[in-house]
């Protein structure tokens, strides 16, 4: 959370930094700020979005070819102009932007206060810039050395960039547990939380490692040292991101674009990994460790938010198709629970961003216990991707809408491919069944395409009918229980309607008390197994005057008779139904949120990449 971007080079910094901030706004959007070096140091900060900052800087001195900017998701201190970054040192000489949390800030603040420092904001970040100033002044150190020494006193997570008005030809950056990428251009550098602000300037990047401090200068020099003062030799990577992937491409919101990209992104996830005609699936990430994965005694799956829901679907997939015992864990609970992890376990971490702090820390714990760790990640080169022993990228392209859509179907596609491989290799899927399933999976992108075309108008109409609801219930069984959770999450996060997902049978143990003619009950009723049971659950809702919107398999006339509305999805093998049934629920949440006047891509209080714990 929080996005940081900085530029040093021959061009004007302001437009580059502002555009970078707009690209990073998905990471936080409660306030924004910019600092520019142009003979003197000019700092502008404003509560609100980057657009408010742009308005605020109109007519001001925004010159300079060194600059840095920040878009905030508040942790310490409310969102306002003062708590916004950049923060300035007491003597006004240093400015700093920060993503992360300085955990020992209170202790540092009190010792700095004893030394005469006074603070303007409530943030942990301001403490850090004062600490660097203190270290710098004590021994008259160059900026990079002051930053390095100060960071040895800091506990917590940080990605920072610092500027010194008395040493105006350089930027110093450092990271620990928060992401930071350095774009290496022609005598210019960009530093950012991810590659999206960098890609239009250069494709060459260095991923800064934990506890490294980088110094980049106006004459094109870059030096990276560890906190222990050892010089490192950074590898330069080439990024594959295309600029068009970062634009809305004619859609009103990124979320809608991303929903409609799913036929392509699911196919991209499968590309080169499956052959329907020959009937095989292969994942490069699994090849090297196949024996260990096939013989695993247990699979532990870690994730947060939507990625956790994908993990829940994987529990059904791995147990059903590969007879492999699975435990799905919220990463935040797992890491603090003293969990039992053995070296015969395989630990899967699912993360779109590859930066979620809890998932990262839970994975570190699993590694310490000797388990094989496997990452299912979207963002190439991200921290989780680099921490795991092996893994597979889902390759769905940048996901910018805060509510995850195409990353979810990419994750589920990847998990399905893994389950098919393990089912076959463990001897539970006979070759004929395995090949039949591979063939059926290869048809999913086309089915998602047809579904989007067929259901869009109908879903928009249903959205209109229920946009004013205060509560909603989502029910599903088996493979579609996690889809119920995901449907409810989508609705609450972007439309602010309270929504709950439940296993359909559990309704009797509580939510049934809430049912009345005002609360829509969305039932994902595509199951072949337990079909009669879900029909009974619908009847139980109807008997209490509930309003049922059912997601059904094409041609299902019985549920159509019972439900108030039914949305048809194409027929497929039961384990693959989540890849289809989730699509109308994504569209429904989207349209309800738009009709309620909500900012779909940037819902209140949320952020896309949660780099705090
Ligand atoms: C945030 C996002 C969600 C996402 C979750 C986990 O809450 O808003 O969309 O599912 O973090 O993120 P990850 O990047 O680890 O998948």
């Amino acid at each position: 959370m929080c996005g940081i971007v900085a530029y040093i080079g021959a061009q004007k910094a302001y437009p580059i930094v502002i555009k970078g901030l707009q690209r990073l706004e998905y990471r936080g959007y409660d306030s924004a700020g910019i600092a520019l070096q142009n003979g003197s140091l000019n700092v502008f900060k404003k509560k609100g979005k980057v657009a408010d900052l742009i308005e605020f800087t109109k007519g001001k001195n925004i010159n300079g070819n060194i600059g840095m900017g920040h878009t905030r998701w508040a942790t310490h201190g409310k969102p306002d102009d003062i708590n916004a970054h950049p923060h300035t040192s007491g003597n006004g000489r240093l400015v700093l932007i920060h993503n992360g949390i300085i955990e020992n800030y209170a202790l540092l603040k009190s010792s700095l206060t004893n030394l005469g420092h006074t603070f303007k904001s409530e943030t942990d970040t301001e403490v850090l810039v004062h600490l660097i100033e203190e270290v710098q002044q004590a021994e008259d150190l160059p900026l990079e050395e002051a930053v390095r020494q100060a960071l040895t006193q800091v506990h917590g997570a940080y990605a920072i960039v610092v500027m010194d008005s008395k040493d105006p030809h350089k930027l110093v950056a450092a990271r620990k547990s928060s992401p930071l990428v350095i774009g290496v251009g022609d005598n210019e550098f960009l530093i950012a939380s991810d590659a999206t602000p960098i890609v239009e300037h250069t494709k060459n990047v260095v991923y800064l490692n934990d506890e490294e401090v980088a110094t980049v200068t106006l004459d094109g020099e870059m030096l990276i040292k560890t906190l222990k003062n050892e010089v490192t030799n950074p590898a330069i990577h080439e990024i594959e991101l295309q600029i068009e992937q970062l634009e809305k491409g004619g859609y009103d919101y990124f979320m809608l674009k991303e929903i409609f990209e799913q036929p392509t992104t699911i196919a991209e996830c499968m590309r080169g990994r499956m052959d329907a005609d020959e009937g095989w699936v292969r994942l490069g990430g699994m090849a090297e460790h196949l024996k260990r994965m096939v013989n695993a005694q247990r699979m532990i799956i870690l994730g947060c938010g939507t990625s956790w829901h994908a993990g829940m679907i994987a529990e059904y997939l791995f147990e059903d198709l590969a007879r492999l015992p699975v435990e799905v864990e919220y990463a935040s609970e797992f890491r603090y629970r003293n969990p039992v992890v053995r070296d015969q376990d395989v630990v899967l971490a699912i993360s779109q961003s590859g930066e979620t702090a809890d998932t990262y820390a839970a994975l570190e714990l699993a590694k310490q216990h000797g388990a094989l760790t496997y990452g299912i990640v979207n963002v190439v080169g991200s921290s989780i991707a680099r921490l795991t022993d092996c893994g597979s990228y889902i390759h769905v392209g940048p996901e910018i809408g805060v509510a995850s859509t195409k990353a979810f179907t990419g994750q589920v596609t990847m998990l399905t491919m893994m389950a098919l491989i393990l089912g076959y290799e463990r001897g539970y899927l006979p070759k004929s069944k395995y090949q039949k399933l591979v063939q059926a999976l290869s048809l999913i992108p086309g089915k998602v395409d047809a579904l989007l075309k067929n259901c869009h108008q109908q879903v928009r109409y249903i959205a209109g009918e229920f946009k004013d609801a205060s509560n909603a219930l989502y029910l599903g069984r088996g493979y579609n229980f996690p889809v119920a959770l995901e449907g409810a999450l989508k609705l609450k996060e972007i439309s602010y309607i309270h929504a709950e997902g439940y296993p359909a049978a559990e309704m009797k143990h509580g939510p049934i008390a809430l049912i009345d003619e005002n609360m829509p009950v969305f039932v994902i009723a595509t199951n072949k197994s337990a079909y009669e049971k879900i029909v009974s659950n619908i009847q139980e809702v109807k008997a209490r005057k509930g309003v049922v919107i059912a997601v059904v398999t094409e041609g299902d006339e019985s549920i159509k008779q019972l439900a108030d509305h039914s949305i048809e999805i194409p027929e497929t093998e039961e384990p693959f139904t989540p890849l289809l049934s989730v699509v109308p629920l994504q569209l429904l949440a989207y349209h309800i949120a738009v009709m309620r006047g909500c900012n779909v891509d940037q819902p209140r209080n949320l952020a896309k990449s949660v780099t705090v714990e």
Side-chain angles (χ1 to χ4, degrees):
M1 355 206 46
C2 300
I4 64 177
V5 57
Y7 174 81
I8 183 166
Q11 302 184 60
K12 283 196 162 180
Y14 179 86
I16 296 175
V17 171
I18 287 287
K19 195 155 187 202
L21 286 180
Q22 286 167 326
R23 294 243 190 270
L24 292 173
E25 220 170 3
Y26 73 87
R27 301 178 66 89
Y29 32 81
D30 59 41
S31 46
I34 189 165
L36 297 155
Q37 185 96 252
N38 53 13
S40 63
L41 212 48
N42 288 324
V43 180
F44 307 105
K45 359 197 251 178
K46 205 73 204 141
K47 180 181 173 189
K49 309 227 159 158
V50 176
D52 299 300
L53 177 67
I54 297 172
E55 200 51 40
F56 180 63
T57 51
K58 275 191 181 148
K60 308 229 162 67
N61 180 357
I62 51 165
N63 291 322
N65 50 356
I66 307 178
M68 55 163 75
H70 185 274
T71 176
R72 182 168 185 245
W73 186 89
T75 59
H76 296 60
K78 59 187 172 300
D80 63 17
D81 295 356
I82 293 172
N83 288 330
H85 299 213
H87 287 283
T88 310
S89 62
N91 58 12
R93 177 175 163 181
L94 309 179
V95 279
L96 178 144
I97 47 176
H98 169 220
N99 161 215
I101 290 182
I102 308 300
E103 285 170 3
N104 58 337
Y105 87 101
L107 210 62
L108 293 169
K109 191 171 186 174
S110 96
S111 29
L112 288 164
T113 307
N114 290 340
L115 292 168
H117 289 255
T118 53
F119 297 89
K120 298 187 193 94
S121 78
E122 303 155 83
T123 65
D124 51 337
T125 305
E126 193 185 8
V127 176
L128 182 55
V129 71
H130 277 250
L131 177 68
I132 297 170
E133 174 193 277
E134 184 60 37
V135 172
Q136 185 179 44
Q137 280 188 332
E139 293 185 47
D140 195 19
L141 295 172
L143 178 65
E144 58 275 28
E145 188 51 21
V147 170
R148 189 188 69 76
Q149 291 189 18
L151 288 176
T152 60
Q153 301 179 42
V154 163
H155 302 158
Y158 53 80
I160 57 167
V161 184
V162 199
M163 275 190 325
D164 182 348
S165 58
K166 287 210 178 145
D167 194 356
H169 304 299
K170 69 168 69 143
L171 290 172
V172 174
R175 73 156 271 187
K176 185 183 175 198
S177 304
S178 293
L180 206 61
V181 188
I182 302 176
V184 183
D186 210 4
N187 274 332
E188 62 180 4
F189 297 95
L190 281 106
I191 305 171
S193 300
D194 70 26
T196 57
I198 296 175
V199 62
E200 14 198 322
H201 304 279
T202 174
K203 296 252 172 191
N204 296 327
V205 298
V206 168
Y207 296 105
L208 207 62
N209 290 313
D210 269 354
E211 306 202 334
E212 284 183 349
V213 180
T215 309
V216 290
T217 68
L218 210 44
D219 11 304
E221 298 294 327
M222 174 168 70
L223 179 71
I224 300 182
K225 281 183 170 184
T226 64
L227 282 194
K228 293 190 178 131
N229 210 13
E230 293 147 351
V231 175
T232 67
N233 196 6
I236 299 203
H237 299 264
E238 197 172 317
I239 38 173
E240 285 174 11
L241 208 61
Q242 306 298 326
I243 296 166
E244 309 79 68
Q245 294 178 297
L246 305 172
E247 313 283 347
K248 282 192 203 142
Y251 287 90
D252 289 343
Y253 284 99
F254 280 108
M255 183 181 176
L256 191 62
K257 176 184 173 221
E258 287 157 5
I259 291 172
F260 274 88
E261 277 176 345
Q262 289 177 111
T264 315
T265 53
I266 295 173
E268 280 300 311
C269 183
M270 294 174 179
R271 188 199 292 280
R273 292 160 160 170
M274 266 178 41
D275 189 309
D277 297 332
E278 291 177 19
W280 54 257
V281 196
R282 276 179 221 135
L283 290 171
M286 282 177 77
E288 210 182 313
H289 300 276
L290 192 59
K291 203 163 164 212
R292 194 161 165 198
M293 294 182 83
V294 166
N295 295 322
Q297 293 194 351
R298 184 174 61 147
M299 175 96 78
I300 299 173
I301 301 182
L302 305 172
C304 302
T306 289
S307 297
W308 183 78
H309 293 158
M312 293 276 289
I313 294 174
E315 180 172 22
Y316 290 85
L317 286 165
F318 288 123
E319 294 195 354
D320 184 16
L321 302 178
R323 308 302 301 140
L324 183 61
V326 175
E327 280 171 37
V328 190
E329 305 271 1
Y330 281 118
S332 55
E333 285 300 312
F334 176 83
R335 57 182 292 209
Y336 290 116
R337 211 192 51 218
N338 195 13
V340 178
V341 186
R342 293 172 292 240
D343 55 9
Q344 303 96 326
D345 293 332
V346 172
V347 174
L348 275 190
I350 307 176
S351 176
Q352 187 287 126
S353 62
E355 301 294 347
T356 302
D358 281 318
T359 311
Y360 187 90
L363 203 51
E364 273 185 322
L365 183 77
K367 275 192 96 154
Q368 282 158 18
H369 284 79
L372 178 75
T373 55
Y374 198 99
I376 295 182
V377 172
N378 189 32
V379 178
V380 176
S382 54
S383 303
I384 290 172
R386 289 186 294 142
L387 180 67
T388 43
D389 298 309
C390 46
S392 302
Y393 287 114
I394 58 172
H395 289 314
V396 300
E399 189 180 65
I400 294 165
V402 164
S404 185
T405 52
K406 65 175 180 173
F408 175 75
T409 47
Q411 291 163 345
V412 176
T413 303
M414 179 56 65
L415 292 158
T416 308
M417 290 193 286
M418 291 181 79
L420 289 175
I421 295 173
L422 289 176
Y424 181 59
E425 295 290 341
R426 283 167 63 84
Y428 291 104
L429 278 182
K431 193 163 189 181
S432 56
K433 174 96 192 280
Y434 164 74
Q435 291 189 323
K436 186 171 163 240
L437 289 172
V438 172
Q439 166 72 28
L441 187 61
S442 74
L443 301 178
I444 291 291
K447 293 189 177 188
V448 174
D449 193 34
L451 170 61
L452 280 164
K453 288 187 180 117
N454 291 339
C455 79
H456 193 196
Q457 291 314 322
Q458 185 198 6
V459 170
R460 204 200 312 245
Y461 171 79
I462 295 173
E465 294 288 289
F466 299 104
K467 68 178 184 355
D468 298 319
S470 323
N471 296 290
L473 187 61
Y474 287 71
L475 303 176
R477 276 178 177 264
Y479 279 103
N480 283 305
F481 159 50
V483 176
L485 296 179
E486 177 61 8
L489 176 64
K490 287 288 86 84
L491 187 69
K492 75 182 129 196
E493 65 185 342
I494 59 171
S495 75
Y496 318 137
I497 294 175
H498 170 245
E500 302 242 22
Y502 255 85
E506 277 293 305
M507 174 186 69
K508 292 189 286 294
H509 302 287
I512 201 163
L514 301 173
I515 291 173
D516 61 17
E517 59 275 27
N518 298 318
M519 183 172 74
V521 182
F522 298 94
V523 187
I524 304 116
T526 59
N527 303 50
K528 289 178 187 135
S529 54
Y531 179 81
E532 286 76 21
K533 307 276 177 217
I534 204 136
V535 172
S536 307
N537 296 140
I538 293 174
Q539 261 152 348
E540 286 153 15
V541 176
K542 288 306 305 170
R544 284 154 187 87
K545 299 205 179 101
V547 190
V548 172
I549 306 96
V551 177
V552 299
T553 308
E554 246 164 17
D556 182 332
E557 290 305 321
S558 343
I559 295 183
K560 238 187 218 173
Q561 301 296 326
L562 283 175
D564 298 79
H565 302 272
S566 37
I567 304 165
E568 292 193 344
I569 66 162
E571 166 90 45
T572 184
E573 296 286 338
E574 188 157 352
F576 309 155
T577 51
L579 288 167
L580 301 174
S581 56
V582 75
V583 172
L585 304 183
Q586 296 169 338
L587 275 176
L588 184 89
Y590 170 81
H591 283 297
I592 289 184
V594 170
M595 288 171 189
R596 288 166 69 96
C598 301
N599 183 340
V600 170
D601 286 337
Q602 296 177 346
R604 68 183 180 212
N605 302 338
L606 296 177
K608 182 124 196 95
S609 185
V610 181
T611 52
V612 298
E613 296 167 19

